[in-house]
Amino acid sequence: VIRCKAAVAWAVGKPLSMEEVEVSPPKAGEVRIKMVATGICRTDENLRQGLFPNSDFPIIPGHEGAGIVESIGDGVTSVKPGDKVILLCVPQCGKCIFCLNPESNFCLKAHMFETQCVLPDKTTRFTCKGQQIHHFMWVSTFAEYTVVPDYAVAKIDAVAPLEKVCLLACGFPTGYGAVINAAKVKPGSTCAVIGLGGVGLSVVMGCKAAGASRIIAIDINKDKFPKARELGATDCINPQDLKKPIHEVLIEMTGYGADYTFEAVGKLDTLAAAMTSCNPSTGMCIMAGDPPAGSMLTIDPMLLLTGREWKGTVLGGWKMRDSVPKLVSSYLEKKFNLDVLNTHTLPFAKLNEGMELLRAGKR
């Protein structure tokens, strides 16, 4: 058993509490990892607020992490102690109907089908003050050590800087893949991106790489516009400065609506605006944000009748165990600028300060 620090969410709505936890050794088919770096994502805040589905408290959040294998359980052959790895919040078991489908990146072991608040044997590897602590999507990267199933971890190049490539666990592949894999944006297209956090900026990068001729970036925080322009945005709009709804403005700007719209906020009103803003015949709206669990969106079905497409994507459509090592290699080859997404670097003890930066829209 390893004793280490972890950020525990004891109850819905409570601040994260830095605690000493006990992390049990990995059982068969499991890997224990020494965490080196973790990103902070809006989904972690949604979990803390009780807006993430099927979550049990107390729980250790975090799902965007990279580290070094400390030990392995029986039967694990994909990694060994000392390997650098990225943890996968959407696993790839390699055996289920979705993993075997080349057009799917989902997995029947993922949280939407099977709880990942406990490991596959229905127990946890975390305890604190004599109490069982739950896992978050199996990975729980807000801990100095964590234990995951071997199919929720990917070995990466030994030279990769973990404090940089940890963002390849969620934010970047979600946004970039929404363009490349889900929408398959065509050169010369017009794209609109609602929300310029880590996912939205990754969407902008993807649109630029795909050859979009016009990239309209939308956010209520104008401080995000310089970075969006640096990454390829041709227009930046703050809806708070407008006298008309954003969907009406986008339709006026583009003639009949954008070829592709991307929602990277996770709110119902922005999702409805993205849906309404795309071309009524051939437009495609991609949902890349993380809406509150149980929320319901009402739309006019006539929006779809004329040919619009509305599509969701989880982690940008990448089969993560296969794709993450390749994304790391592409980063090392400077095929995309991942570093621009790293706005702050904080010691682990200041994780709550990082969460506050997220809530304030400063990262």
Side-chain angles (χ1 to χ4, degrees):
V1 174
I2 290 177
R3 289 175 173 81
C4 67
K5 294 293 184 182
V8 178
W10 287 101
V12 171
K14 299 294 184 182
L16 300 181
S17 177
M18 200 62 70
E19 306 279 3
E20 182 178 81
V21 301
E22 295 83 41
V23 185
S24 298
K27 295 184 180 181
E30 297 175 356
V31 181
R32 186 160 62 181
I33 298 162
K34 179 181 180 180
M35 296 304 305
V36 174
T38 181
I40 296 176
C41 177
R42 176 64 61 177
T43 300
D44 301 311
E45 175 64 7
N46 286 350
L47 170 70
R48 191 190 67 83
Q49 293 181 11
L51 302 177
F52 194 82
N54 307 319
S55 298
D56 298 317
F57 288 74
I59 191 169
I60 297 175
H63 65 286
E64 200 173 54
I68 298 171
V69 174
E70 179 271 336
S71 58
I72 59 175
D74 291 343
V76 174
T77 59
S78 58
V79 295
K80 64 183 185 303
D83 284 345
K84 286 186 175 182
V85 293
I86 287 178
L87 288 76
L88 313 177
C89 57
V90 173
Q92 186 182 343
C93 74
K95 299 177 181 179
C96 73
I97 186 172
F98 294 130
C99 284
L100 294 175
N101 184 343
E103 296 183 359
S104 167
N105 76 311
F106 214 49
C107 176
L108 281 173
K109 298 292 185 182
H111 190 78
M112 298 301 177
F113 284 97
E114 177 180 307
T115 179
Q116 291 176 308
C117 294
V118 292
L119 291 180
D121 71 347
K122 307 306 178 187
T123 66
T124 82
R125 302 294 169 267
F126 297 122
T127 55
C128 181
K129 301 176 181 178
Q131 186 172 351
Q132 174 179 277
I133 307 297
H134 293 95
H135 298 248
F136 179 46
M137 293 198 286
W138 281 342
V139 292
S140 288
T141 63
F142 289 0
E144 292 178 324
Y145 286 84
T146 190
V147 177
V148 302
D150 66 338
Y151 44 79
V153 66
K155 179 181 176 180
I156 61 172
D157 195 311
V159 304
L162 297 180
E163 73 279 5
K164 305 289 187 181
V165 299
C166 67
L167 299 179
L168 292 174
C170 177
F172 178 81
T174 295
Y176 198 81
V179 179
I180 304 300
N181 299 326
K184 296 180 172 60
V185 166
K186 298 175 182 177
S189 302
T190 295
C191 300
V193 185
I194 300 180
L196 299 176
V199 172
L201 290 175
S202 299
V203 170
V204 172
M205 283 192 268
C207 292
K208 177 72 172 179
S213 61
R214 194 174 188 186
I215 304 170
I216 305 169
I218 301 121
D219 201 289
I220 59 173
N221 184 351
K222 61 179 175 48
D223 293 339
K224 296 183 178 182
F225 293 164
K227 187 170 288 187
R229 289 192 178 95
E230 175 189 343
L231 295 174
T234 56
D235 306 81
C236 291
I237 301 174
N238 184 340
Q240 294 178 334
D241 295 336
L242 305 176
K243 295 181 179 179
K244 296 180 179 181
I246 184 62
H247 71 276
E248 292 184 13
V249 173
L250 287 172
I251 290 171
E252 289 177 1
M253 290 176 66
T254 57
Y256 295 96
D259 298 309
Y260 304 92
T261 59
F262 299 87
E263 199 280 344
V265 181
K267 293 186 176 181
L268 299 186
D269 57 344
T270 51
L271 183 55
M275 183 69 178
T276 312
S277 301
C278 65
N279 184 292
S281 177
T282 58
M284 181 183 292
C285 173
I286 302 293
M287 183 177 73
D290 182 15
S295 55
M296 302 296 288
L297 176 65
T298 300
I299 65 167
D300 183 346
M302 292 298 290
L303 288 172
L304 297 172
L305 184 67
T306 54
R308 279 187 182 94
E309 292 183 65
W310 182 22
K311 191 173 184 180
T313 181
V314 61
L315 288 174
W318 307 97
K319 285 184 180 290
M320 291 295 281
R321 203 175 185 196
D322 292 341
S323 299
V324 160
K326 297 175 184 177
L327 288 169
V328 169
S329 296
S330 294
Y331 165 74
L332 294 173
E333 294 165 6
K334 302 186 184 304
K335 292 183 178 179
F336 48 76
N337 183 9
L338 186 64
D339 297 354
V340 73
L341 300 180
N342 192 341
T343 57
H344 299 79
T345 300
L346 300 171
F348 183 53
K350 294 187 176 181
L351 192 146
N352 268 313
E353 291 185 26
M355 296 294 288
E356 182 56 39
L357 288 168
L358 173 77
R359 289 189 286 269
K362 294 181 179 180
R363 52 77 59 204

